Amino acid sequence: MSTIQQREELHRTIWSMADELRGAVGGWEFKAYVLGTLFYRFISENLTDYINRLQADAGVEGFDYAEMSDEEAEMAREQMVQEKGFFILPSQLFKNVCKVCEQDENLNMTLSKIFHDIEGSAIGTESEDDMKGLFSDFNVDSTQLGGDVRTRNRLIAKVLLKVRDMNLGDDFQENKIDAFGDAYEFLMTMYASNAGKSGGEFFTPQEVSELLARITAADGHEIRSVYDPACGSGSLLLKFSKTIGKDNPALKYYGQEINPTTYNLCRINMFLHDINYDNFDIQLGDTLIDPKHRDLEPFDAIVSNPPYSTQWEGSKNPLLINDDRYAGPGVLAPDKTADLAFTLHMLASLSESGTAAIVEFPGVLYRGGKEQNIRKWLVENNHVDTIIQLPANLFFGVGIATCIIVLRKSARPDNRILFIDASKEFVKNGNKNRLASANQDHIFQVFAERKEEPYFSCLVSIDDVLKNDANLSVSSYVEQEDTREVIDIDQVNTHLRELIEEGNALNVRIEEIIKELGGE
């Protein structure tokens, strides 16, 4: 079976499983149980595979960690926590729990203890913050799962067995890491598409994430760290890992998220893509008010899809105007639209040679007042590299056409801004639009080569943009192709004369017929 066929089979299985199980709990809430179980299976098999390979390398044949006694396994606890960031006893492995889950009348308590023990194994170590609360959304005693313990346990057991039976490949290193990550992304896509407006908070479409990653690495500068200050479930960071970081195992991933549920999903996503705990640092909190990574700045690449037009403290907090992140323009982003506050934060977090690619609400390109002042400062200081107009209806819960703002701190090739109108670069995918590979390649090629194409892209001097009130709307600079049919006036006149002649001849004939009828 080909990789594509395996993936399609996996997706069908996931869809069938979720469709069958989500009746008890709303689909978006139920993701916590499906994804939590998927994560539990992954870290169990990840740890088992790691220990088994260590034993095989030491010359021990036929060793299987899952068959060890808990007492014997304890000897490996300290080493595993240090190297993997967590520890699971053999009896608590997903595989072994599944064997007896249908007969376990106290399954809820069993899982609660296991999850507590897994998170607790990291307490007092470097991975404590990375493991803390990862299973907090997996509420084994939720009344949404059933009115009594027996009903809830039956449903939980059903979830465990459905995830156990998912075909994720046999060889962990060769197949399962990609399969687990793909299963996670498919689940997130599926749940986000059914979550309405809230779905977009959790997930950025993969093709948009890939385009952002390619843009930040286009100039070939060394990338040792990537940052997303509004990281959601981590889809942008992980697509960066697949696109740019696959040949750089030392790449560090940094992110901050204000929503506790999404914060947990992001850390789970990191583990599911086999990014070790010491290679990522995901923090919980409000980036605009309390950024957690300032001592780790600057970052070589920034990719982000921050919330659109969200409220923030802004002018209500007198200390913010003196914050070095926002001080440059001399004004703060409006209290009701924090979009450009995120933009300024990312610029401040960027290395001198780095690139930031940010998905933005289109209003930030042309709105007046404080936002116009901020845009003017960005343009005057030559930080705006490129503006890309994206097609409408790409994102879950957002039908409007968004845009990408590309920022640089100092490594600008010239004093011009590249405007790209990619609003027609899409293919239909059900009720959504999607950037196909050819669409991505076209956008990226024009961006990387900074070239002009009629009706698609143009380079505009900073002076001309400033003369236009620092308006960064792509439609203000890229000429629209006139698709109206060209009318040949001579041809129209000739045709009109022919019609008149035909009409005159017809009138003559009608008069002749009338005379003939009168003569009779």
Side-chain angles (χ1 to χ4, degrees):
M1 182 182 295
S2 69
T3 302
I4 294 177
Q5 289 174 321
Q6 285 180 330
R7 180 174 287 112
E8 290 176 347
E9 180 184 344
L10 174 62
H11 290 179
R12 283 194 297 270
T13 302
I14 293 171
W15 183 266
S16 174
M17 175 187 70
D19 194 49
E20 179 179 347
L21 297 176
R22 65 185 171 186
V25 184
W28 189 238
E29 290 75 18
F30 200 77
K31 76 186 182 308
Y33 298 97
V34 179
L35 292 172
T37 304
L38 188 71
F39 174 61
Y40 176 33
R41 175 179 167 180
F42 176 85
I43 59 173
S44 293
E45 295 183 3
N46 184 296
L47 183 69
T48 299
D49 179 79
Y50 187 76
I51 294 175
N52 289 350
R53 287 178 183 270
L54 288 178
Q55 292 297 313
D57 291 342
V60 181
E61 297 182 2
F63 179 85
D64 186 358
Y65 177 69
E67 296 178 358
M68 284 187 74
S69 69
D70 287 352
E71 292 73 17
E72 292 176 303
E74 281 290 350
M75 294 185 297
R77 177 182 291 272
E78 185 176 348
Q79 179 184 354
M80 291 305 101
V81 172
Q82 182 179 354
E83 296 178 9
K84 300 297 292 181
F86 61 92
F87 182 70
I88 308 174
L89 290 168
S91 66
Q92 296 180 326
L93 293 169
F94 175 82
K95 172 182 178 180
N96 290 331
V97 170
C98 283
K99 290 178 180 178
V100 296
C101 66
E102 290 182 299
Q103 292 76 43
D104 187 352
E105 295 181 356
N106 299 309
L107 181 61
N108 59 328
M109 297 175 62
T110 299
L111 287 177
S112 181
K113 184 179 186 308
I114 290 173
F115 297 159
H116 179 271
D117 288 350
I118 294 174
E119 292 182 13
S121 67
I123 291 178
T125 71
E126 292 183 3
S127 60
E128 179 176 354
D129 289 341
D130 300 312
M131 296 299 300
K132 185 187 299 181
L134 284 178
F135 291 100
S136 59
D137 291 326
F138 197 117
N139 185 358
V140 296
D141 294 314
S142 172
T143 55
Q144 288 186 306
L145 295 175
D148 55 75
V149 173
R150 179 177 296 180
T151 302
R152 293 196 286 270
N153 282 343
R154 277 203 302 266
L155 187 57
I156 292 172
K158 200 171 188 179
V159 175
L160 292 175
L161 296 177
K162 286 284 186 180
V163 171
R164 180 199 65 183
D165 294 338
M166 288 169 58
N167 181 11
L168 297 171
D170 297 322
D171 187 287
F172 190 87
Q173 291 296 323
E174 295 298 325
N175 301 319
K176 288 194 176 181
I177 291 173
D178 285 342
F180 271 104
D182 186 63
Y184 177 93
E185 290 172 3
F186 181 77
L187 276 162
M188 288 303 299
T189 303
M190 182 180 67
Y191 283 127
S193 65
N194 286 283
K197 185 176 180 180
S198 65
E201 300 174 7
F202 293 82
F203 194 77
T204 301
Q206 294 181 39
E207 60 270 16
V208 177
S209 302
E210 182 173 336
L211 179 60
L212 295 181
R214 294 173 69 184
I215 285 172
T216 59
D219 64 357
H221 71 282
E222 183 181 4
I223 299 178
R224 295 157 296 181
S225 60
V226 58
Y227 174 56
D228 184 350
C231 59
S233 66
S235 54
L236 277 166
L237 291 174
L238 270 301
K239 182 55 68 173
F240 196 96
S241 169
K242 285 188 174 183
T243 306
I244 308 301
K246 56 188 176 182
D247 298 321
N248 184 2
L251 185 64
K252 303 293 184 182
Y253 302 84
Y254 300 95
Q256 187 164 337
E257 172 57 37
I258 194 171
N259 183 305
T261 295
T262 323
Y263 161 67
N264 289 338
L265 288 174
C266 185
R267 290 181 297 151
I268 288 173
N269 204 359
M270 292 288 151
F271 280 106
L272 285 177
H273 285 79
D274 206 38
I275 295 180
N276 206 40
Y277 76 92
D278 56 358
N279 272 19
F280 72 83
D281 182 3
I282 308 299
Q283 295 288 334
L284 176 66
D286 185 340
T287 303
L288 298 181
I289 307 301
D290 183 26
K292 304 292 188 181
H293 297 96
R294 299 231 63 189
D295 58 336
L296 297 170
E297 297 173 358
F299 302 109
D300 301 314
I302 297 177
V303 288
S304 191
N305 178 19
Y308 306 144
S309 299
T310 189
Q311 296 186 20
W312 74 307
E313 289 189 16
S315 62
K316 299 182 184 68
N317 187 337
L319 298 178
L320 288 176
I321 192 61
N322 296 317
D323 190 312
D324 67 286
R325 296 174 296 164
Y326 312 127
V331 295
L332 294 171
D335 296 355
K336 293 184 178 180
T337 52
D339 308 70
L340 289 181
F342 278 106
T343 303
L344 291 173
H345 166 77
M346 285 182 252
L347 179 64
S349 303
L350 193 62
S351 68
E352 291 297 320
S353 61
T355 303
I358 313 161
V359 177
E360 300 266 17
F361 186 82
V364 303
L365 300 178
Y366 56 81
R367 289 191 296 234
K370 294 179 178 179
E371 290 181 309
Q372 182 181 359
N373 291 333
I374 295 172
R375 287 198 310 273
K376 181 181 178 182
W377 180 83
L378 289 170
V379 173
E380 286 178 337
N381 287 274
N382 205 13
H383 292 311
V384 182
D385 180 277
T386 302
I387 306 292
I388 303 171
Q389 180 68 56
L390 292 174
N393 204 28
L394 288 179
F395 293 80
F396 299 112
V398 181
I400 62 170
T402 54
C403 61
I404 297 173
I405 295 180
V406 182
L407 301 178
R408 295 185 195 270
K409 210 160 197 176
S410 62
R412 294 279 284 108
D414 53 40
N415 292 326
R416 296 185 294 174
I417 299 172
L418 176 64
F419 291 88
I420 299 175
D421 183 359
S423 58
K424 298 180 179 63
E425 288 287 335
F426 67 90
V427 295
K428 295 296 293 183
N429 184 23
N431 61 352
K432 302 297 293 181
N433 294 332
R434 183 174 64 85
L435 292 177
S437 296
N439 303 130
Q440 291 183 55
D441 290 344
H442 185 201
I443 297 169
F444 178 73
Q445 180 186 24
V446 170
F447 166 79
E449 298 178 10
R450 292 186 68 78
K451 66 179 182 179
E452 295 186 300
E453 284 188 8
Y455 315 118
F456 188 75
S457 64
C458 69
L459 287 161
V460 182
S461 72
I462 285 177
D463 289 340
D464 286 343
V465 172
L466 291 173
K467 288 176 184 177
N468 194 24
D469 297 325
N471 187 326
L472 293 174
S473 177
V474 173
S475 61
S476 297
Y477 304 100
V478 179
E479 181 184 359
Q480 297 294 304
E481 183 177 8
D482 188 350
T483 58
R484 294 175 298 177
E485 183 180 353
V486 178
I487 299 175
D488 187 329
I489 297 299
D490 292 337
Q491 186 178 19
V492 171
N493 288 333
T494 299
H495 185 56
L496 183 60
R497 284 195 298 270
E498 291 174 349
L499 289 176
I500 292 173
E501 291 172 359
E502 290 177 3
N504 291 336
L506 184 59
N507 287 334
V508 171
R509 179 56 184 153
I510 291 173
E511 290 177 0
E512 291 175 351
I513 293 174
I514 292 174
K515 289 179 181 179
E516 291 174 1
L517 291 174
E520 292 179 359

